[in-house]
């Protein structure tokens, strides 16, 4: 499974270890409501919402600049969810948190696929 609507850096990427550590801290000894949002090539995309404070792990990672919102979201995602996630990411951008430390993060990586050393647009 992976978090829905956000791109979290892999361990090999900048901020990947920070994101993994933050995820572990956020998930430790807490109860979550799990919403299955989608299935992409057999992988579940889920939203994890803390049952105590009603905040999603994705929103917290976005606020700390340890994830970024995907550029293309499914049409069925509620406007409220989209706005909550956009506000969280905007907060990180404004405060230059995490991956936003030096300004904007390029989105082109989300749109390209590397096949045999060739970059191809999705």
């Amino acid at each position: 499974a992976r978090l829905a609507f956000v791109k979290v850096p892999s361990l090999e990427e900048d901020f990947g270890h920070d994101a993994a550590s933050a995820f572990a801290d956020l998930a430790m000894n807490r109860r979550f409501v799990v919403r299955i949002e989608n299935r992409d090539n057999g992988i579940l995309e889920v939203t994890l919402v803390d049952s105590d404070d009603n905040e999603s792990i994705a929103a917290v990672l976005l606020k700390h600049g340890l994830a970024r919102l995907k550029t293309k979201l499914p049409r069925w995602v509620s406007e409220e969810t989209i706005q909550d996630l956009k506000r969280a990411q905007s907060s990180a951008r404004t405060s230059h948190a995490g991956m936003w430390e030096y300004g904007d993060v390029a989105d082109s990586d989300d749109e390209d696929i590397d096949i045999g050393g060739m970059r191809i647009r999705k």
Side-chain angles (χ1 to χ4, degrees):
R2 65 178 165 227
L3 293 176
F5 316 132
V6 296
K7 182 175 184 335
V8 180
S10 70
L11 292 175
E12 294 78 29
E13 295 176 292
D14 291 340
F15 299 101
H17 285 280
D18 294 337
S21 178
F23 181 87
D25 289 344
L26 290 166
M28 187 75 60
N29 299 319
R30 292 189 175 162
R31 292 178 160 239
F32 292 95
V33 174
V34 178
R35 283 194 316 254
I36 299 172
E37 305 285 4
N38 195 20
R39 184 182 303 263
D40 183 25
N41 294 323
I43 297 172
L44 294 177
E45 294 182 336
V46 300
T47 297
L48 300 174
V49 179
D50 188 311
S51 58
D52 291 332
D53 66 14
N54 207 33
E55 188 166 41
S56 75
I57 284 186
V60 174
L61 292 175
L62 285 168
K63 274 187 213 173
H64 292 284
L66 299 174
R68 60 188 166 133
L69 200 53
K70 288 184 177 177
T71 55
K72 295 180 182 175
L73 297 174
R75 291 183 179 164
W76 50 263
V77 180
S78 76
E79 188 61 30
E80 180 182 1
T81 297
I82 292 170
Q83 291 308 314
D84 287 346
L85 295 173
K86 282 184 176 181
R87 275 192 294 277
Q89 180 168 285
S90 180
S91 172
R93 289 173 93 166
T94 302
S95 64
H96 297 278
M99 65 178 69
W100 304 102
E101 180 178 9
Y102 300 111
D104 282 346
V105 178
D107 287 330
S108 62
D109 291 351
D110 288 358
E111 304 303 321
D112 294 341
I113 303 172
D114 188 356
I115 300 176
M118 295 175 44
R119 301 293 287 179
I120 300 172
R121 294 294 281 185
K122 283 186 184 177

